[in-house]
Amino acid sequence: MADAGELRANRLLAMLPTRPLEEIAPASTVLQARRGQVIYLPGEPMDRVTFPLSGLFSLVITDPFGSFTSIATVGREGAIELAPALGAIPAPTEIVCLIGGRAAQVAADDLLELLDNTPEFRAAVFRYLGARFVDCVQVAPE
């Protein structure tokens, strides 16, 4: 169970008005991640979204030969595996904790309800996803 005040450490969740944040807090869980801990595996069902409250997490892709590449990092400014949890794509990446910290996990269904009922939060999430898309386009090979 998370505390609404603690959830405000994440910049996306901080966009929520007080009432929806207080409603989502009891249904959220907070995990303490340590350096090197795997948070998600590729292909894992995306029934939750992870919002870092502190620490830093890396999205990692492994090629068929076992080499891996970090394609992005996420800290308290964003969310981990947001698009897959919204049903956009299956989770293609492994998520590894780079710098230990805490993260709140919100059920995908609860997140969808927040997006439907809270326009300011929905706008912030769409801006965040747009920025992540721009990041991907800039690092993708031609």
Side-chain angles (χ1 to χ4, degrees), residues 14-142:
M15 298 296 296
L16 282 167
T18 301
R19 184 179 173 115
L21 189 63
E22 288 174 348
E23 290 173 359
I24 196 70
S28 304
T29 58
V30 175
L31 64 92
Q32 178 68 45
R34 66 186 185 291
R35 186 178 190 277
Q37 181 178 351
V38 175
I39 306 299
Y40 287 106
L41 292 170
E44 190 174 317
M46 288 291 100
D47 58 351
R48 67 200 185 285
V49 177
T50 301
F51 294 89
L53 305 172
S54 61
L56 189 65
F57 298 83
S58 178
L59 286 71
V60 177
I61 292 183
T62 305
D63 71 18
F65 305 106
S67 297
F68 62 90
T69 303
S70 176
I71 59 168
T73 56
V74 179
R76 64 187 199 96
E77 81 289 343
I80 299 170
E81 298 297 19
L82 185 57
L86 298 175
I89 56 172
T93 58
E94 180 175 300
I95 309 298
V96 179
C97 181
L98 292 177
I99 298 173
R102 294 170 63 80
Q105 295 188 315
V106 176
D109 291 343
D110 291 338
L111 179 69
L112 290 172
E113 187 175 324
L114 284 171
L115 292 170
D116 284 345
N117 298 328
T118 317
E120 334 51 20
F121 182 61
R122 182 175 54 242
V125 166
F126 287 165
R127 282 193 305 273
Y128 175 73
L129 286 172
R132 296 310 302 209
F133 177 74
V134 169
D135 289 345
C136 291
V137 169
Q138 290 176 348
V139 299
E142 292 184 24

